[in-house]
Structure formats: structure tokens, C-alpha cells
């Protein structure tokens, strides 16, 4: 009996171990990469781009897969599974990426917060799911995403296609039923957004590159952007099975020249306040890439310490050189890693070659009645560039579709349009245009709007600050350049992106967000208005009430007065002294009435009424 | 409100107006004028204060290093650069300097097309330079502007040099570049051709176009501009800072911005002045009052012209608060202010502006300043101004009642007019001032008897205790009937007219004055279009444009003077205008009141000066058979005509600039000055959209022409 029980226990233990092993094996399907890409710009700035990639070999379509987590953050996974999210892209940015002097970022983002989501085709009520999702995310990321209500959300038709693999049905990606886009240009990004973002990382900020994230240094930069992108991808290059990928990125631009007495020197210790002393042990690889394309023979700067290896990739515009640091090896070698560059000469400001396509958007007009938005799109290439332009205007800037004009050197450019007019307090104006930029030219997209009067409770506390308008989005396929592009289906890590040699790359540019002032009442005015209105009403009410309720009686002076009236008249005349004045007034009125009654159109004054009452 | 329903009370009010309107309106005018001028007295105005808490002026320590060495370096470099080429401003060098600071630096080209077809109608090309300091972590949604006019060494003879401003801008730009606290972009703007350059830049920035200043597209922009500071600083011997506020069309910056500049200059112990006048020590004394009054009037004088007093003036149109800090250069400097101190003031102003969370909206936009620390808000200056204007409106009301009662009378009773008596008493007097008095007496005594008799009669017929007995009334009525000068169409006349197939309706009521009103507005339109039309012919005449404009407008004006004669021939068999002069004057006074009130809401100074000169004359004007009196009236009218006022302004300007001239010389120079003023007025109108000329031709001239018609009317 005892033996039997023993065997049973053993059996159970075996089963348990089996289960454990199986589940471990299953969970081992995920990988984590931590990478940093550093690029000095010709404007004296230096960009630091951190990317943390988690790739998990499961199928997104099976909701049961989101039960057991290893590297993938559970808090996010639960949200994604609950709301049937196919793809999710969230960026929180402070500052504006200056394309003209910095070129293209790995991942562009508009100022403030931006969220765009593709839902699974199984979702029936997309708007409600979106509403629930933004509320949940707003709690998860400590950001005001809950303000992305129907007034701030649009369903873009062309500009935001799924970035990962799309599920069946076939036309899923071609229609805008399952996609929602919203942006909050006013959202200020700060430490409270960094902390929850950091917590999604497998190593948090305990080890690896994320130990460099010290808020006070990050927020002293020129530009910083937190990104989180979730999408389904192919597990391998043949795309035989599905996987999901979570990319978390942090982009930072610092002004190296101002901080270093005119030299464009930079070092991790200087920029982040500390050096790197560990790598995340969960990471498959931890690497730092430094762009040395401009430093072919080390004539401009010298790297310290020496990189682990140097890579170069052939791109259409030339050789793209990278210095690569393998963090575990470097840390093992010298305990702390402080990557830096020392320049040989002082930095000289000059003209910077502009990127192929860039844009400048601004508010036109003055005064508080009308206004306009213009966007200049520059094409410096020798080839025509087809682009998508998307502009969303809040409902209180009432845009007119007839005013939409695309102009290139005085010629109107033909375009294809998707336009959803706004509705007051319900929906924003959504305009998507598709047209071609002529080679080496500037194309101007302009439209006019009318500023609406808000209800007085709709104004924010700082009404005179102005109201923000989302950035416009320009999407295009660029011929490969020494620029960066959104990762294609099977490239996930920076390593793959940087060495990608495909011929065309998809780029999405965000223009400036705008500030418009609306007609704003003087908010101390309601009090004055109430006082004034009450006074007017009181005065008008008295007299109108008097006029409408008074009885008008015609008196015939020729008719002989009756005895009663005579007595009354006599009594009135003999009233005491105190009443004398009034009675005299009465007599006046009476006299007047009598004298004028000949014309037959005169009224009887107060006196007569009084007389009657008496 | 009892007035609406109680005919008795209404009649009392009407009676009061008719009896006392003359005295009352003169009293109102004098009280208004005295009260307005008394506002400069310290106890009657208010001390300035900061409404906008976010400004936090002077809360932070200055970031500038002691001695501010980079300022001296830039000053020396700039001097060396200027000495190389005296004719042109060193634009290239400035551009390089700004670029080497790491700012986004751009050029902006523009073309000025002269508004009039002048003999030398060459287009002028200008170039602005601007650099944008992008704020860290900012998305370029808001910006501040620091602007300096570019003046070549040659052009500096007329105006103060701005070298100091340029050096200071460069030094501050290099300093601001290092600071991490900027929340708004700072735009450094160097504009050529003074106001025109700024206008071109602002037009390009907001994509608003102008037919005369043609601006190229801007290569880059920042966001909404919140405030602008214009610097006009010489490089050495700055004695004090003069703050210039008056913008286009009399617009002023928010008072908080001015307070900010004053407060920060005080903190850095740099003397700040208004209209080059320091605050008096004891403002409550008589001397102090005189001083502040003169400051106030000088400020109002500048504002009234509607021309911008500096480059800042053009920003106001775009709802950008702006002022000019002018460093005043004195050759014999005893206690000069080092430029470093001025730099600290400017730095402080920008750091305060950087703190702003909202656009300037808290403090006053409508105010008058008697000194740098006191202000007169719209709430304080409107009541006295209203009194002055109401004086005229009251007179109009009285005239309306008179004519109205007469119209009634012509239908059922005979018009009891008593103008003969008034005429007699008036004719005995010579001086205009005395004439007013007699008017006063005459109206006070006679009008209640004569004009108001129908009203009075109704009330008093049953009232034995009233002062006017029915017997007297009847007697006077008799007199009225017998009066040989009925100033209005009596029933007999009407009958006559009917015989001649005239429509009687055309001769009574407001319609009868419509031709006069229409004519005066047509003349206004002529005056408005004259400069443009006339200058089209000038190239053939080989005259100076300014001359053509002056003579052209004088011609239009003369046509205006002659129009009563033109009207006469058309209208009737008599050689006078057949409309009730009282109605014409009444309409004129009401239009004048409306115009002045409307203008006062935009440019109080202009409205005040116009009211001060035109209200008394317009109240006094009336037709008279006395040639002497009529000449005096017409002379007075001429003086308060738009042309006359312009000439007075020219005389005042000439005496203000050089007080040592004799009377004749002043008058002679004033003619030149008038020409210049007129020309500038038109140039401002075409280039900057100034309203002053438009106002003069569409508001002041037609109103005045209505009064001009009055002496030509029947009496």
C-alpha cells in the first residue's frame, strides 16, 4: 500500500516535471535584444537611439497563448489579449525631430503622445473597444490617453497600414474599419511616463542599457521620445510561422557642441551621468552601434574605447560604416564601458544637406475669425515622389474642403482624396491626400478654416494659451538612402535594420504641431454680463409689465358726472394736507385727459387708476 | 423707464432739455475736457501693477557673466566691420555670426513697390536676416522675437544708430544658446528699411499678402509669436532708455509688457522714460502735475497720428505684444549706462516672457500713461470723454425735439417760432465766444417760450400753477404767426408748393437732409480715392508726388467747400439749401457723436483731440444773416476741418521740434510739414494698412461737411 502510494507520488512528480519541461520549452520561444545606436549629426547634435526588442514565437490569433509569460511583459500582454489588438503603436515625445538638420530618425514621432492601433477582425464594436483600450493604456502608461475620445480619433485610410503581417480576410489592411489613430500634441512627457515604460523591460532598469536612464539627464536633452510598438511578424525569413514582436525605443538628441566648449565630443558618462557596467543577462545580444560613416579614416574623431568590431554595409548612396561594441565582452574586459568620441577640431556650423523629402507646416492668417494651415513639402530628389498626406484638424477649426489646394510652382497638383468632414463636438476633420511631388520642387498644401466659438465651459483653464492642432503625417516610399526606415516584416533588431540593403524604404514624417488661438471671452466677464443683463431685464420688465397690465379706459368729458363721482371728487379735494400733492397730480391728469380726449386717442394716466381704486 | 410710459415725465425731461440744453452742453464739454486733462493728476489715476502672475519679473538672477565680455567683443568686431563699408549695414557678417552660434539662420528678401506712380518708380529690394533659437524639448509652437533695425552708417545721421542693439543681440544669442530653460523659441530678426522690413517679414510669417510690400516665402518659421522686443541702441553713451509703445492705428501693447520693461530697468538701475520724459519727483505737486500732463499729451499726440512710433508698431496688428527699447544717446555723457546693464534688462525681459503660460491677456490694452508708474485705464478716461461727446449729442437731441414739434405743429397748429428775437440778440455780438453766450441766453430765455410752446401748452392748459400761463402762450403763438421769418415751411408755404406740383414730403423730415448727407459722403469717397487717381497723372506733370498729393487733396477739399453752392442750384428757386438747418445740424451732431465714440474705442487719443476741437465749433454753428458772424463761424469751421486739423498738427510738430522759430517761419515750415504728414499718412495707409487717412476721409470729412452746410441753410 505504502509502495503504491510512493509510486503514485513519483508518477505525479514525473508528470509535474514533464509539464514544467514542456512549458519551459514552449516559453523558450522568446528572445530579447538590447541595442543602442549613436549617430553624430552635422548640426552638432548627437542622437542616441535605444531599442529593446522582445520576439515571441506564438500566434497572435490564438488568445490562449497569452497565458504564460517569460520575457514579454504580462501587464501589456493581458491588455493586448483582452482588447483583441492586432497591432499597437504608442509614442510619447517631447520636442520636434528636425528633419532638415538631423535627417530621418529610425522611428519618427510627433510631439506629444500618439497612439494607433489595428484591432483583430473579430472585434465587432471597434469604437467601444478603442475607448476601453485608451482608458486602460492611459492607466498603464500614466499618460492622458483617455482624452483620445471620438473627437480626437480618426480612422486613417491610407496613411497607417498594418506594419506587421495581416490576418485574413484578404482586404483587412485595405480598409480603415479596424484601425484607429489619435494624437495628443499637448501631452507633456516626463518621468512619470518613463517609469511605467521602463517596467515593461525584462531587466527593468536593474541591468543593461536601461541603467543609463536617469530622468534628469534624459529630460535635459533637445528631443526625447519613448516608443512602444507591438506587431505580429514572421518567425523566420520563410514566414512559415507567426511570432509577435514588442519593440520599445527611446530616442534622445543632445547638443554636444554647446556642452563641450565648441567640440562635438560626447561620452556616455557625460550624456547619461554614468557609464555602463552591466548587460541584461536575459538578452540574446547587447550591442552598441556608432555611426562612423562620416569618419572614414578617423580624421574627424577617435572613438574610445576601441570598438569590438567595425561593420560596413553597401548602400545605394555609399558605404555605411558602423563601430560595434559588444557590451558583455567590453564590460567583462574593463568593468565599465564609457563609449565616447573625441573630435580633433572645433565644430564649425555651416549649411547642412537637407534630406530627400521634408516638410514645414504653419498657421496662416491673423485675427480670430479665420485662419489657415499651410504645409510646404520639399522634394530635393531628381525623381517625382508619390506621397500620402494626412491632416487632422479639431472640430473647432472648421475646415473647408473647397479651400484645399495643392500648389507646385503656381500649378495645381491633381490629387486623390479621402475626406471626412468634422462635426461640432463630435468628430474632427480628417483629410488624406495622395499626390506626387515634382522633382526638385516645393509643393504647398493649404486649407482654410474658421475658428469656432466654444461654449464657455469648454475652455480649458488656460484658455489664452491656445489650442493645439495635430501634426500632419506624410508617408512615402523612399529609394534607399543613408537614412533609416521602419523595419520591414522580418527585420526586428537594430542590427538587422542597420544592415538592411533593400532598395526602397518606407518613411513616415511628422510635421510641426500647431497652436491656434480661438476667440476667448474675458472670463471675468460673466459676472459683469450677469449684472448688466439683470439690470436690463429688471428695468425692461417693470415698464413692459406696467404697459401690458394697465387698463385703458376711455372717458367722455361731455358726459355728465354722476353724483357718486362728484362726491368722490369733492372728497378728494378736501383730503388732508399730506395727500394734497398727489391729489393735485390727479387733478392734473384729469385735466389733461379731459383736454385731450377730444382727439380720442389718449390714455388715462396713473392718477385715474388711483382714483378708481380709491 | 418711466419715460416710456409716462407722457408727463417725458414731457418734463423734454422741457428740461429744451430749456437748459445750451447751458448743459457747454457745461458738459468743459467739465469733460477739464476732467480728462485732470486725469494726469496723480490722485486721479492708478499705479501700475502686474496682472499676469506668470511673468515673475526679476525673480531669477541674471545669467550673464560679470562684465559680459562677449558683448564687448561683438561691439568691437561690429565697429571694425562697419568701418569697412559705411554705406551698407554689415549684413553678411551678421549672418555669419548668427550661423556660427549654431542658430537656424535665414535670409528673407522682399520688394517694395511704391504705392504711387512716382517719377522714380524703381522697385526697392530689401533683405531681412533672421535666426531661430530652437527651444530644447519644445515643438516650436510658441516664439518670442527680438528685433533690431539694420541701419547703415550713412543713414544714421537722421536716426540713432543701432550698433549697440546688434552687438547686444549677438551677445545675448550666444548666451541664450547655452541656457537650458527656454520654453519658447527665440527669433532674432534684423530688418532692413525700418518698418517696411518688419512688415514684409510679418506678412511672410503669417502668409498675408500686400500689394506694395511683396515678401518672399519664409524658408522657416517657429510657432505663434507671443511678444516682440525691438531694440534701438547705440553702441555707447546711452544716457537712458526710452520706451516706445504706440503702434499702428494707435494700438498699444498690453500694459503688462510695458510694466515689465519698466520694472526690470529699475531693477538694473537704468533710467527708463516715456516720451523722453522722466517721472517727476513729486507727482502731486502743481509742477509734477504739469509734467505728467505734458507727458500724457505727448503720448496721446504720438498715438493720435496712428503711425507706428517704431518697428514694434507693426506687430500689434498680428496680436503680438511689442514695444521698442530705445537707448538715447547723449554726446556729453555724465552718467552713462553701460550696455551690459541694458543687456541685463533685455535678458530679464526675455526670461520673464519665457515664463508666460498664456498670451498676454490679463492687463489693459487700452490705456494712457502720464508717467512710467501710473496709468489711466479705459474705465477712467471714457467718462470724461463721453461727457465731451455727449455735449454735442444733447444739442442734437434738443434740435431734434425742436424740429419734431414743429413738424407736428405744421399739421395741426401754426409753428410758433421765435427765431427773430434770437437773431436780434445774436446779431449784436461780435466775438465768437460771446456769441456762444448769447446763444445760451437766447436759448435759455426764448426757446422754452417759442419752440416748446406746443408741448407746454398741452400740459399747462389745465394747470394754473405753471410758470407759463395759457394767456402768455396764446400771445406768443400770435407772435409766432406774425413772425416774418418762419424758419420752417409753414402751412402757407406748403400750399404754395403744392400749387407748384412739389412734393411736400421731400421737404420735411430726415429725408430732406439726405441729399446733403449723400453729397458729403460722396466727397469723402472722392477724398479717399483722390491720391491714387491723381498720382496716376503725375509722371506727365513732372511734379513731386508729395506736392501732387497735397494740391490734389486741397482741390478736393475746395470742392467740398464749394458744395453748398452746388447744391443750391439744383434744389430750388432760392439760392439757399432747402433743408432745415436744425435737422442738418442734428444729423451732423449725431454722426459726429457716433464717429467719435467709435474712434475712441480704437484710438482714444485721436478721438479726444478731434472731440476737443470739433465739438465746440459744431455746437455753435448755425445759419445767420450777419456777415461778420458768419465769417467768424466759417473760419472756425475751417480751422476744425480735417485739413485744418492737419495743419494745426503740422504747426504743433514744428514748434515741438524747434521752438526758437518766429511765427511766420513756423507757418512756412508747417506747410512743408503738412505736405510731409499727408504723404506719410498715405504711405502708411498703402504699406501698413493704417486707418487714419480712411477715417479722415470717410468719417471726419463728411461729418465736417455736414456742419459746413449749416451756415448755407435757410434760417
Amino acid at each position: 500500500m505504502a509502495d503504491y502510494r510512493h509510486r503514485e507520488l513519483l508518477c505525479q512528480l514525473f508528470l509535474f516535471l514533464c509539464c514544467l519541461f514542456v512549458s519551459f520549452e514552449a516559453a523558450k520561444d522568446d528572445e530579447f535584444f538590447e541595442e543602442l545606436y549613436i549617430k553624430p549629426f552635422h548640426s552638432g547634435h548627437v542622437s542616441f537611439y535605444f531599442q529593446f526588442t522582445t520576439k515571441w514565437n506564438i500566434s497572435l490569433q490564438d488568445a490562449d497563448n497569452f497565458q504564460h509569460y517569460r520575457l514579454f511583459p504580462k501587464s501589456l500582454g493581458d491588455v493586448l489579449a483582452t482588447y483583441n489588438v492586432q497591432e499597437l503603436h504608442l509614442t510619447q515625445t517631447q520636442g520636434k525631430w528636425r528633419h532638415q538638420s538631423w535627417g530621418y530618425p529610425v522611428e519618427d514621432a510627433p510631439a506629444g503622445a500618439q497612439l494607433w492601433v489595428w484591432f483583430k477582425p473579430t472585434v465587432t464594436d471597434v469604437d467601444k473597444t478603442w475607448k476601453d483600450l485608451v482608458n486602460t493604456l492611459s492607466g498603464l502608461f500614466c499618460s492622458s490617453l483617455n482624452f483620445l475620445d471620438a473627437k480626437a480619433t480618426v480612422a486613417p485610410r491610407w496613411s497607417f497600414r498594418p506594419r506587421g503581417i495581416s490576418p485574413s480576410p484578404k482586404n483587412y489592411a485595405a480598409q480603415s474599419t479596424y484601425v484607429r489613430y489619435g494624437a495628443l500634441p499637448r501631452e507633456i512627457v516626463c518621468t512619470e511616463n518613463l517609469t511605467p515604460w521602463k517596467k515593461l523591460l525584462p531587466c527593468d532598469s536593474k541591468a543593461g542599457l536601461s541603467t543609463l536612464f536617469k530622468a534628469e539627464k534624459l529630460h535635459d536633452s533637445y528631443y526625447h521620445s519613448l516608443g512602444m510598438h507591438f506587431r505580429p511578424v514572421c518567425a523566420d525569413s520563410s514566414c512559415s510561422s507567426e511570432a509577435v514582436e514588442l519593440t520599445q525605443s527611446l530616442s534622445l538628441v543632445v547638443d554636444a557642441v554647446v556642452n563641450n566648449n565648441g567640440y562635438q565630443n560626447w561620452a556616455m558618462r557625460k550624456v547619461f551621468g554614468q557609464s555602463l557596467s552591466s548587460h541584461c543577462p536575459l538578452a540574446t545580444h547587447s550591442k552598441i552601434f556608432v555611426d562612423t560613416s562620416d569618419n572614414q579614416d578617423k580624421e574627424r574623431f577617435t572613438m574610445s574605447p576601441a570598438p569590438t568590431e567595425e561593420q560596413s554595409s553597401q548602400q545605394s548612396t555609399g558605404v555605411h560604416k558602423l563601430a560595434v561594441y559588444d557590451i558583455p565582452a567590453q564590460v567583462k574586459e574593463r568593468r565599465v564601458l564609457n563609449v565616447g568620441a573625441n573630435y580633433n577640431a572645433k565644430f564649425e556650423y555651416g549649411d547642412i544637406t537637407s534630406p530627400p523629402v521634408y516638410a514645414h507646416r504653419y498657421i496662416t492668417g491673423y485675427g480670430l475669425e479665420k485662419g489657415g494651415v499651410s504645409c510646404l513639402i520639399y522634394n530635393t530628389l531628381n525623381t517625382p515622389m508619390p506621397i500620402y498626406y494626412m491632416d487632422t484638424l479639431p472640430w473647432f477649426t472648421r475646415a473647408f474642403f473647397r479651400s484645399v489646394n495643392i500648389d507646385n510652382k503656381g500649378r495645381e497638383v491633381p490629387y486623390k482624396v479621402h475626406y471626412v468632414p468634422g462635426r461640432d463636438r463630435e468628430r474632427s476633420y480628417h483629410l488624406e491626400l495622395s499626390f506626387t511631388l515634382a522633382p526638385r520642387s516645393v509643393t504647398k498644401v493649404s486649407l482654410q478654416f474658421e475658428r469656432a466659438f466654444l461654449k464657455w465651459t469648454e475652455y480649458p483653464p488656460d484658455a489664452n494659451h491656445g489650442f493645439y492642432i495635430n501634426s500632419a503625417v506624410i508617408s512615402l516610399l523612399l529609394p534607399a538612402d543613408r537614412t533609416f526606415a521602419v523595419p520591414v516584416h522580418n527585420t526586428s533588431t537594430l542590427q538587422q535594420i542597420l544592415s538592411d540593403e533593400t532598395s526602397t524604404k518606407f518613411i513616415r514624417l511628422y510635421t510641426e504641431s500647431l497652436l491656434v488661438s480661438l476667440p476667448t471671452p474675458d472670463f471675468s466677464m460673466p459676472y459683469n454680463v450677469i449684472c448688466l443683463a439683470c439690470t436690463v431685464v429688471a428695468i425692461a420688465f417693470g415698464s413692459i409689465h406696467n404697459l401690458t397690465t394697465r387698463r385703458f379706459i376711455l372717458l367722455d368729458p361731455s358726459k355728465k358726472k354722476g353724483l357718486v363721482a362728484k362726491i368722490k371728487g369733492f372728497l378728494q379735494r378736501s383730503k388732508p394736507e399730506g395727500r394734497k400733492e398727489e391729489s393735485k397730480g390727479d387733478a392734473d391728469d384729469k385735466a389733461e385727459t379731459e383736454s385731450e380726449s377730444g382727439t380720442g386717442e389718449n390714455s388715462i394716466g396713473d392718477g385715474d387708476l388711483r382714483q378708481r381704486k380709491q | 423707464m418711466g419715460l416710456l410710459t409716462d407722457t408727463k415725465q417725458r414731457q418734463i425731461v423734454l422741457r428740461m432739455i429744451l430749456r437748459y440744453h445750451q447751458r448743459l452742453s457747454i457745461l458738459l464739454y468743459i467739465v469733460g475736457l477739464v476732467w480728462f486733462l485732470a486725469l494726469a493728476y496723480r490722485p486721479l489715476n492708478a499705479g501700475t501693477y502686474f496682472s499676469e502672475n506668470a511673468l515673475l519679473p526679476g525673480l531669477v538672477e541674471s545669467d550673464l557673466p560679470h562684465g559680459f565680455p562677449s558683448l564687448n567683443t561683438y561691439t568691437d568686431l561690429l565697429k571694425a566691420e562697419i568701418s569697412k563699408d559705411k554705406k551698407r549695414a554689415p549684413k553678411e557678417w551678421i549672418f555669419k555670426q548668427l550661423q556660427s552660434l549654431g542658430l537656424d539662420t535665414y535670409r528673407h528678401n522682399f520688394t517694395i513697390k511704391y504705392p504711387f506712380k512716382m517719377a522714380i518708380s524703381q522697385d526697392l529690394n530689401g533683405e531681412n536676416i533672421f535666426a531661430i533659437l530652437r527651444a530644447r524639448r519644445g515643438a516650436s509652437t510658441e516664439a518670442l522675437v527680438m528685433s533690431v533695425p539694420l541701419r547703415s552708417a550713412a543713414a544714421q545721421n537722421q536716426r540713432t544708430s543701432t550698433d549697440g542693439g546688434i552687438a547686444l543681440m549677438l551677445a545675448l544669442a550666444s548666451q541664450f544658446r547655452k541656457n537650458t530653460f527656454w520654453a519658447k523659441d527665440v527669433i532674432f530678426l534684423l530688418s532692413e528699411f525700418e518698418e517696411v522690413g518688419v512688415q514684409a517679414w510679418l506678412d511672410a510669417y503669417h502668409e498675408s499678402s500686400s500689394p506694395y510690400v511683396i515678401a518672399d516665402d519664409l524658408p522657416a518659421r517657429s510657432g505663434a509669436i507671443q511678444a516682440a522686443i525691438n531694440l534701438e541702441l547705440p553702441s555707447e553713451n546711452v544716457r537712458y532708455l526710452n520706451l516706445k509703445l504706440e503702434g499702428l492705428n494707435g494700438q498699444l501693447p498690453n500694459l503688462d509688457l510695458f510694466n515689465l520693461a519698466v520694472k526690470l530697468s529699475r531693477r538694473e538701475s537704468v533710467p527708463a522714460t516715456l516720451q523722453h520724459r522722466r517721472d517727476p519727483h513729486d507727482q502731486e505737486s502743481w509742477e509734477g502735475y504739469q509734467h505728467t500732463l505734458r507727458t500724457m499729451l505727448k503720448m496721446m499726440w504720438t498715438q493720435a497720428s496712428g503711425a507706428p512710433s517704431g518697428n514694434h508698431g507693426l506687430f500689434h496688428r498680428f496680436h503680438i505684444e511689442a514695444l521698442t527699447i530705445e537707448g538715447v544717446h547723449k554726446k556729453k555723457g555724465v552718467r552713462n549706462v553701460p550696455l551690459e546693464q541694458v543687456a541685463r534688462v533685455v535678458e530679464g525681459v526675455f526670461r520673464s516672457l519665457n515664463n508666460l503660460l498664456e498670451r498676454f491677456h490679463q492687463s489693459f490694452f487700452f490705456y494712457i500713461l502720464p508717467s512710467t508708474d501710473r496709468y489711466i485705464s479705459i474705465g477712467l478716461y471714457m467718462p470724461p470723454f463721453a461727457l465731451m461727446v455727449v455735449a454735442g449729442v444733447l444739442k442734437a437731441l434738443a434740435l431734434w425735439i425742436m424740429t419734431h414739434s414743429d413738424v407736428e405743429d405744421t399739421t395741426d397748429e401754426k409753428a410758433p417760432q421765435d427765431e427773430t428775437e434770437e437773431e436780434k440778440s445774436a446779431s449784436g455780438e461780435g466775438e465768437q465766444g460771446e456769441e456762444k453766450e448769447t446763444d445760451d441766453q437766447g436759448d435759455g430765455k426764448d426757446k422754452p417760450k417759442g419752440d416748446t410752446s406746443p408741448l407746454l401748452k398741452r400740459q399747462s392748459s389745465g394747470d394754473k400753477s405753471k410758470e407759463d400761463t395759457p394767456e402768455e402762450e396764446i400771445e406768443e403763438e400770435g407772435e409766432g404767426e406774425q413772425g416774418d421769418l418762419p424758419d420752417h415751411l409753414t402751412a402757407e408755404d406748403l400750399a404754395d408748393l403744392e400749387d407748384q406740383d412739389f412734393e411736400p414730403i421731400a421737404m420735411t423730415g430726415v429725408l430732406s437732409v439726405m441729399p446733403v448727407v449723400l453729397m458729403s459722403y460722396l466727397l469723402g469717397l472722392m477724398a479717399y480715392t483722390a491720391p491714387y487717381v491723381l498720382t496716376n497723372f503725375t509722371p506727365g506733370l513732372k511734379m513731386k508726388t508729395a506736392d501732387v498729393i497735397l494740391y490734389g487733396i486741397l482741390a478736393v477739399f475746395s470742392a467740398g467747400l464749394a458744395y453748398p453752392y452746388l447744391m443750391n442750384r439744383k434744389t430750388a428757386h432760392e439760392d439757399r439749401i432747402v433743408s432745415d438747418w436744425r435737422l442738418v445740424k442734428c444729423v451732423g451732431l449725431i454722426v459726429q457723436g457716433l464717429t467719435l465714440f467709435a474712434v475712441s474705442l480704437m484710438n482714444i487719443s485721436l478721438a479726444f483731440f478731434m472731440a476737443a476741437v470739433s465739438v465746440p465749433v459744431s455746437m455753435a454753428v448755425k445759419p445767420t444773416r450777419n456777415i461778420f458772424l458768419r465769417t467768424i463761424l466759417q473760419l472756425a469751421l475751417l480751422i476744425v476741418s480735417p485739413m485744418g486739423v492737419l495743419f494745426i498738427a503740422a504747426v504743433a510738430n514744428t514748434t515741438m521740434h524747434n521752438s526758437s522759430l518766429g511765427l511766420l517761419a513756423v507757418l512756412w515750415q508747417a506747410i512743408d510739414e503738412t505736405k510731409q504728414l499727408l504723404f506719410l499718412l498715405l504711405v502708411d495707409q498703402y504699406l501698413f494698412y493704417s486707418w487714419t487717412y480712411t477715417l479722415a476721409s470717410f468719417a471726419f470729412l463728411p461729418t465736417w461737411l455736414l456742419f459746413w452746410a449749416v451756415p448755407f441753410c435757410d434760417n
Side-chain angles (χ1 to χ4, degrees), chain A residues 34 203 207-209 276-283 285-286 327-329 331:
Chain A
E34 53 171 2
C203 291
L209 283 172
L276 199 60
S277 55
S278 63
H279 73 282
C280 178
L282 298 168
H285 75 232
S286 311
I327 300 172
V331 168

Side-chain angles (χ1 to χ4, degrees), chain B residues 389 392-393 396-397 400 584-596 703 707:
Chain B
V389 180
V393 177
L397 197 62
W400 176 258
V584 174
K585 186 174 166 182
C586 172
V587 169
L589 283 168
I590 286 171
V591 170
Q592 173 182 264
L594 270 175
T595 313
L596 288 175
T703 321
F707 295 123

Side-chain angles (χ1 to χ4, degrees), chain B residues 182-222:
Chain B
W182 294 107
K184 299 174 172 69
D185 289 2
V186 183
I187 303 175
F188 301 95
L189 170 68
L190 294 126
S191 64
E192 215 171 15
F193 300 130
E194 302 298 322
E195 284 98 345
V196 184
V198 174
Q199 172 75 18
W201 188 80
L202 282 170
D203 267 347
Y205 199 93
H206 297 93
E207 223 175 60
S208 57
S209 61
S210 149
Y212 301 106
V213 183
I214 295 149
D216 289 3
D217 280 347
L218 280 193
R221 283 173 186 81
S222 182

